[in-house]
Amino acid sequence: NAGVTQTPKFRVLKTGQSMTLLCAQDMNHEYMYWYRQDPGMGLRLIHYSVGEGTTAKGEVPDGYNVSRLKKQNFLLGLESAAPSQTSVYFCASSLRGTSGVAGELFFGEGSRLTVL
Amino acid sequence: AQRVTQPEKLLSVFKGAPVELKCNYSYSGSPELFWYVQYSRQRLQLLLRHISRESIKGFTADLNKGETSFHLKKPFAQEEDSAMYYCALKKAGSARQLTFGSGTQLTVLP
């Protein structure tokens, strides 16, 4: 089991360029999330999905779009990158139930994005 | 809206000393609280959750609703405890979205 896999792990973009981060999980989890991690600010939720074909906005959604066409994949897109989007991006997934591992998120290794 | 505050960005203790990482929250409902840890070059992972009332790697955390706190404690710190620790809150009934604190970098000195 690979768990949660993010690609790419590193990327440098110029302002205005677009890119897509891919998150794949092999744990059959219903819920998936994209967070960004910035120094002194912890992790902030960008978008999340509670199932295939559904997405919702998190705390800091502006400038990002997401899609969940398949249950195992959750894509994060930047249509026109800005320097303020320089960050480390984390994908996570979790089960839907409330017992046992309730609340546990499983994270990917992170993707470091730099926008020049 | 809910908020999680970790007042210490950096915390250093000597090996064998007690350690306490502070976490305070603001939320009007009944929260679920967690501690996540990120060791160097490893993924962020769950350390413990308040509903389990468990001790993991010698760490415990008690939810104090009166003080709205969920401090993480360990009586004798070890060098391998050095890591970034995040306190997180989930609203009861929400779709598992977690609100994270800003994190505390713990360094255990030899």
Side-chain angles (χ1 to χ4, degrees):
Chain A
N1 269 359
V4 179
T5 304
Q6 295 180 227
T7 53
K9 290 188 171 42
F10 302 93
R11 184 74 186 269
V12 178
L13 287 177
K14 294 182 180 178
T15 297
Q17 287 185 318
S18 63
M19 75 158 295
T20 300
L21 294 174
L22 170 63
C23 177
Q25 54 94 5
D26 60 4
M27 297 175 283
N28 202 34
H29 285 172
E30 290 85 2
Y31 294 177
M32 296 186 75
Y33 314 82
W34 276 107
Y35 285 89
R36 60 177 289 173
Q37 183 187 47
D38 300 293
M41 304 189 75
L43 282 83
R44 292 180 292 169
L45 182 65
I46 304 171
H47 286 280
Y48 67 100
S49 168
V50 299
E52 184 178 321
T54 69
T55 63
K57 294 180 180 180
E59 182 185 354
V60 288
D62 294 342
Y64 305 95
N65 56 73
V66 288
S67 65
R68 182 109 181 260
L69 299 180
K70 294 182 179 181
K71 184 178 183 179
Q72 63 268 34
N73 295 339
F74 194 31
L75 279 63
L76 178 71
L78 286 72
E79 290 187 347
S80 179
S84 61
Q85 294 177 303
T86 294
S87 187
V88 180
Y89 292 85
F90 285 95
C91 178
S93 69
S94 70
L95 290 168
R96 182 172 59 186
T98 57
S99 62
V101 293
E104 181 171 4
L105 267 60
F106 293 82
F107 283 86
E109 294 179 298
S111 297
R112 185 175 295 275
L113 175 66
T114 301
V115 183
L116 302 176
Chain B
Q2 65 272 22
R3 185 179 179 89
V4 177
T5 302
Q6 293 179 250
E8 304 136 329
K9 284 187 169 49
L10 303 171
L11 182 63
S12 294
V13 299
F14 286 100
K15 177 182 173 181
V19 62
E20 179 179 70
L21 289 85
K22 290 184 167 50
C23 173
N24 290 91
Y25 67 91
S26 63
Y27 177 57
S28 57
S30 182
E32 294 179 40
L33 284 147
F34 307 85
W35 277 98
Y36 278 77
V37 61
Q38 188 173 26
Y39 300 103
S40 178
R41 290 184 293 277
Q42 292 189 28
R43 302 172 188 231
L44 195 64
Q45 58 187 285
L46 177 67
L47 179 62
L48 54 79
R49 70 205 89 183
H50 91 270
I51 58 173
S52 300
R53 301 186 65 81
E54 57 200 344
S55 173
I56 302 294
K57 299 184 178 182
F59 283 99
T60 59
D62 290 319
L63 176 59
N64 186 323
K65 291 187 177 180
E67 295 183 357
T68 59
S69 68
F70 188 55
H71 303 327
L72 183 68
K73 301 177 184 179
K74 185 170 183 177
F76 306 104
Q78 303 299 314
E79 289 182 68
E80 55 265 29
D81 295 328
S82 296
M84 176 69 86
Y85 291 81
Y86 290 98
C87 182
L89 176 152
K90 184 179 89 70
K91 292 192 296 184
S94 76
R96 302 199 171 287
Q97 323 167 38
L98 293 182
T99 298
F100 285 85
S102 55
T104 297
Q105 179 68 49
L106 173 66
T107 301
V108 180
L109 304 167

